[in-house]
Each structure stands twice: as C-alpha cells, then as structure tokens.
Amino acid sequence: MKKKNFLPVLGMLLLAFSIFFISCVPQHAKFHMPQHMAVLPTINQTTDVLGGIVFRNIFYLELEEKYSHYLIPLVRVDTLHNEEGITQGGQLAAVENKDLFHILKSDGLMFIELLACDYQTLGISETRRVKVYFTLITPPEEKLWDFEFEVDEGK
C-alpha cells in the first residue's frame, strides 16, 4: 500500500492561507489582533478519521513559526476542552463562543472546518484534494475574517 503524503498539499494550502491572512484586512480597517489565540479542534466533515487531527497539528506548527507568542499551546487547549467535556471539533457547536473565550482565556478562536480530504491512487492516476474553511472570531463574537480554500492536485 502506497503511503499518502499530506505535506505537499497542506504546504500549498498553508502558504495560501498565510498570504490571505496578511492581505485580507484593508490597511484602513480597525481591528483587534488576538493576543491569545486558540486553534480549536478541527470540525471534520470528511470520512478521513485522522485528517482533521493531522491538519490541525500541521496548521498549528505553521502558525507557531511566525506567531508563537500569540498562540495557546494545543495541549492546553485540549486539556481545557476535555475538562468541559469537549473531545472533538464536532462538539464545538454545542458551546457558545463567549463560553469558549472564557474557558480558554482567549481573545481569538480559530475554527477550522475540513470539508474534503481525498487521497486516491488508481493505477498510475493519483488524486489529492483538500478543502478547508477557516474562521477567526474575536470578542464580542466578531468574525475578524473567514476564508475557504481548496487545493486539488488531480493527475
């Protein structure tokens, strides 16, 4: 069985996300840059059980390279969520954002929704596709930005 490589597709996705993150807010706009941002568990809409976990970890590592002083460590986010009974991203809809801000002692919530994560090899044909939707929320429940991105490397 051929090992599937997430990194090329996710690397392209994260590069596009970084470019968008830098350029999405007009210079004249007034906004509050989160000082303590939590990257929440991925809301996984795919059949790839590990796709959301892998994507969140890789995404966090990319953010950590540039914005480590703004990020709450994933272990801390997961520990605080587990104390409240939240064990996966799909359960986040049951908790209000204001409660998430309080639980995590955060002023930024990064929601990640994995919409597609397809890796197929059929003979000499290979398809790799990732589609993800990001949302950054700041208090009082203001959407700072949202962004949907898709990488499709069908061959």
Side-chain angles (χ1 to χ4, degrees), residues 30-53:
K30 184 177 179 181
F31 71 97
H32 165 70
M33 177 65 177
Q35 300 300 304
H36 304 284
M37 186 170 69
V39 178
L40 301 174
T42 305
I43 301 166
N44 191 353
Q45 303 291 346
T46 72
T47 57
D48 187 338
V49 177
L50 295 177
I53 296 167

Side-chain angles (χ1 to χ4, degrees), residues 15-154:
L15 176 63
F17 168 77
S18 296
I19 292 169
F20 178 76
F21 184 74
I22 292 168
S23 65
C24 70
V25 179
Q27 295 300 319
H28 65 281
K30 184 177 179 181
F31 71 97
H32 165 70
M33 177 65 177
Q35 300 300 304
H36 304 284
M37 186 170 69
V39 178
L40 301 174
T42 305
I43 301 166
N44 191 353
Q45 303 291 346
T46 72
T47 57
D48 187 338
V49 177
L50 295 177
I53 296 167
V54 170
F55 186 82
R56 177 185 183 219
N57 289 332
I58 292 173
F59 178 71
Y60 180 86
L61 292 174
E62 281 292 315
L63 284 179
E64 189 177 42
E65 285 182 20
K66 295 180 182 177
Y67 308 106
S68 62
H69 51 284
Y70 294 120
L71 295 174
I72 298 172
L74 289 181
V75 173
R76 177 95 176 121
V77 171
D78 291 343
T79 300
L80 291 170
H81 275 157
N82 287 338
E83 289 172 3
E84 295 296 323
I86 302 168
T87 58
Q88 50 185 287
Q91 296 172 317
L92 293 172
V95 182
E96 291 190 33
N97 291 341
K98 66 179 181 175
D99 294 331
L100 288 172
F101 287 122
H102 178 73
I103 291 167
L104 298 170
K105 296 175 181 55
S106 169
D107 64 347
L109 300 174
M110 174 65 70
F111 288 89
I112 305 168
E113 186 171 2
L114 188 60
L115 303 170
C117 188
D118 303 320
Y119 292 88
Q120 285 184 328
T121 302
L122 299 170
I124 60 171
S125 173
E126 185 176 68
T127 301
R128 294 182 292 183
R129 182 174 79 105
V130 174
K131 184 175 183 180
V132 66
Y133 180 69
F134 300 96
T135 307
L136 179 59
I137 307 240
T138 58
E141 299 189 44
E142 290 183 31
K143 187 184 294 185
L144 184 58
W145 60 259
D146 62 344
F147 179 62
E148 184 173 306
F149 191 75
E150 182 174 6
V151 174
D152 191 348
E153 292 187 351

